[in-house]
């Protein structure tokens, strides 16, 4: 976020600020409020004004889900207490503003890990529930909300409600992008681990069909699985990939020198990306060279390599502000899922992206397991592809609109936490429980207290 000239620091940390998503596209100005207590959060909801308000965490949603043009944005990061840890039963009760990074710092020494983590640990628990995040283990563990035992939700009427799984309000809140209320606390079931290292297998796939065959045949053997795809490769090499799978390393897999402190959480950091980088740095030529080198340096097959948790799950977190490498115009992260049995659609889309020569060096394919209960949760059983594309690529909007049509026709959907451009007429096709979500929102929040740029754009 970048600060505007108007501010009033004496009012609950209130600033008039330009707000963007992590992709740095579609910035809008809002009053950002920083509540320090639950009472201040309730006051901020009461006083958010005609343009409403939306809760925000660490700003890692790529699109406009945590923006609110002309209204209020509730920065929840000051509410960041870890209230209770059950080290025997494997649960934690914490504020919604606690980051996954902080939970790892606290929990790993006790032999516990967060049940689901996306590609960054710098997301809050509230954001993880609101976006119902997924990770490399969805085919085994599902999304984040599946591991939430209870949460406290501040609703538009000023009440604080205890919300549990299996209720309509929980299913609307999980993946509901902050539009049902402000999550204050959550109780989360954890994953036991013996070490803070991963045992990792890596192999190359020669093309998309080879990759899908390897994933389908062997994913059940691994807790975590992901494939990096070269989307600039064409012809017989279209969809060539590097496949990385792993699990938490057991204590007896560590060499003696690492057994002395097996649960140490180490997170190396490189210098931050410069605030201003040359435009065109990520051209087809430079990304093509990177992709070629990345594919060639990967082992054809390697098993059992020990890797730090931070390196396996969050390699980009080691470079603060890495989103700046896309230049002033920012980037779009496009993520979709199509179901099993619709591999033809995935092949067509990958081929179209390859032929379009989209310069994406961050492109990953994963397999999803069972659907999650959230009405607007993104994962459904199938194949999900995510890719970063410079926002200034000529004709990008029209091209992605065409891909949206293909995804919808195949019964798939795009991920709202990463979206800033989906046309609203496709939303009901992609999310069949949309009417249920809207009906509950109308009853719970008849005056539209909770609203965002995403909600206005898609009539949520």
């Amino acid at each position: 976020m970048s600060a505007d000239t108007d501010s009033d620091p004496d009012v609950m940390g209130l600033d008039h600020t330009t707000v963007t998503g992590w992709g740095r596209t579609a910035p809008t100005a809002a009053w950002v409020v920083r509540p320090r207590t639950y009472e201040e959060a309730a006051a901020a909801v009461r006083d958010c004004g005609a343009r409403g308000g939306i809760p925000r965490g660490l700003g890692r949603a790529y699109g406009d889900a945590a923006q609110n043009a002309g209204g209020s944005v509730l920065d929840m990061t000051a509410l960041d207490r870890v209230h209770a840890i059950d080290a025997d039963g494997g649960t934690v009760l914490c504020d919604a503003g606690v980051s996954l990074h902080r939970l790892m710092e606290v929990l790993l020494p006790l032999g516990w890990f967060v049940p689901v983590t996306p590609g960054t640990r710098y997301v809050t628990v509230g954001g993880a529930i609101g976006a119902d995040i997924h990770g490399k283990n969805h085919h085994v563990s599902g999304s984040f909300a599946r591991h939430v035992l209870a949460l406290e939700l501040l609703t538009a009427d000023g009440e604080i409600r205890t919300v549990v799984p299996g209720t309509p309000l929980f299913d609307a809140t999980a993946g509901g992008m902050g539009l049902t209320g402000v999550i204050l606390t959550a109780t989360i079931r954890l994953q036991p681990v013996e070490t803070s290292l991963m045992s990792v297998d890596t192999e190359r796939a020669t093309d998309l069909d080879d990759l899908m065959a390897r994933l389908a045949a062997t994913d059940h053997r691994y807790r975590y699985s992901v494939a990096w795809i070269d989307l600039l490769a064409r012809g017989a090499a279209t969809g060539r990939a590097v496949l990385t799978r792993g699990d938490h390393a057991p204590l007896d897999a560590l060499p003696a020198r690492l057994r002395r402190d097996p649960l140490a959480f180490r997170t190396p950091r490189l210098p931050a990306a410069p605030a201003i980088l040359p435009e065109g740095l990520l051209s087809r030529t430079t990304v093509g060279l990177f992709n070629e080198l990345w594919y060639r340096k990967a082992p054809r097959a390697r098993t059992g390599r020990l890797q730090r948790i931070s390196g396996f799950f969050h390699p980009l977190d080691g470079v603060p502000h890495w989103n700046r490498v896309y230049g002033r115009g920012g980037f779009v992260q496009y993520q979709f899922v199509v179901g099993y049995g619709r591999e033809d659609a995935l092949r067509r889309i990958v081929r179209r992206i390859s032929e379009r020569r989209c310069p994406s060096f961050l492109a990953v394919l994963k397999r999803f397991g069972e659907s999650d209960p959230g009405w607007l949760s993104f994962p459904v059983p199938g194949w999900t592809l995510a890719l970063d594309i410079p926002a200034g690529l000529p004709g990008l909007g029209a091209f992605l609109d065409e891909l949206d049509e293909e995804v919808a026709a195949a019964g798939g959907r795009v991920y709202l936490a990463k979206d800033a451009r989906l046309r609203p007429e496709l939303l009901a096709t992609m999310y069949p429980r949309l009417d249920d979500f809207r009906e509950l929102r109308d009853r719970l929040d008849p005056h539209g207290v909770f609203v965002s740029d995403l909600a206005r754009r898609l009539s949520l």
Side-chain angles (χ1 to χ4, degrees), residues 31-326:
W31 291 99
V32 177
V33 189
R34 298 177 177 85
R36 295 155 296 190
T37 65
Y38 304 150
E39 292 76 17
E40 288 188 351
V45 169
R46 287 195 304 269
D47 300 337
C48 61
R51 293 287 290 180
I54 191 71
R56 180 181 175 94
L58 287 166
R60 292 303 179 102
Y62 285 79
D64 56 1
Q67 299 173 210
N68 182 22
S72 297
V73 171
L74 280 66
D75 181 336
M76 299 299 294
T77 55
L79 290 167
D80 60 353
R81 291 168 296 175
V82 177
H83 293 282
I85 300 170
D86 181 351
D88 295 322
T91 63
V92 61
L93 168 62
C94 63
D95 283 342
V98 173
S99 70
L100 298 193
H101 173 85
R102 179 60 181 152
L103 285 183
M104 292 175 197
E105 287 183 323
V106 171
L107 296 171
L108 269 170
L110 303 176
W112 297 99
F113 190 61
V114 295
V116 172
T117 178
T120 175
R121 61 186 177 274
Y122 294 111
V123 297
T124 62
V125 167
I129 298 169
D132 202 11
I133 59 171
H134 57 272
K136 298 177 174 70
N137 60 339
H138 190 277
H139 63 292
V140 173
S141 301
S143 63
F144 193 89
R146 195 181 294 185
H147 305 271
V148 175
L149 303 177
L151 59 88
E152 289 183 302
L153 186 71
L154 172 64
T155 50
D157 56 9
E159 290 189 25
I160 297 177
R161 305 168 188 242
T162 299
V163 185
V164 296
T167 62
L169 186 51
F170 187 94
D171 292 345
T173 301
M177 307 311 298
L179 296 171
T180 61
V182 180
I183 299 170
L184 298 176
T185 70
T187 302
I188 305 160
R189 183 188 304 110
L190 304 171
Q191 168 69 35
V193 295
E194 295 182 14
T195 75
S196 61
L197 294 167
M198 306 296 295
S199 177
V200 182
D201 295 353
T202 305
E203 59 189 284
R204 288 191 213 167
T206 57
D207 58 31
L208 183 60
D209 282 341
D210 181 33
L211 172 61
M212 290 193 292
R214 290 171 187 259
L215 285 166
T218 60
D219 249 13
H220 64 281
R221 302 177 191 168
Y222 298 91
R223 179 175 295 276
Y224 303 99
S225 178
V226 67
W228 168 86
I229 296 186
D230 181 1
L231 289 176
L232 286 176
R234 292 185 289 182
T238 298
R240 69 178 180 175
V242 178
L243 180 56
T244 306
R245 277 91 66 86
D247 207 335
H248 298 279
L251 185 60
D252 59 14
L254 271 56
R257 63 182 177 82
L258 294 177
R259 292 188 195 184
R260 290 190 288 269
D261 194 7
L263 290 165
F265 181 47
R266 298 183 177 90
T267 57
R269 287 170 73 84
L270 298 172
I276 300 176
L277 286 166
E279 295 298 323
L281 182 65
L282 296 181
S283 66
R284 292 184 178 95
T285 300
T286 58
V287 173
L289 178 61
F290 170 87
N291 287 2
E292 184 68 29
L293 293 173
W294 190 261
Y295 182 78
R296 297 270 175 208
K297 84 174 186 65
R300 294 184 183 276
R302 180 176 61 193
T303 61
R305 179 196 174 202
L306 292 177
Q307 189 175 11
R308 291 175 178 172
I309 273 177
S310 57
F312 180 77
F313 289 107
H314 316 120
L316 288 175
D317 281 349
V319 184
H321 305 295
W322 64 262
N323 57 339
R324 294 173 179 170
V325 303
Y326 290 89

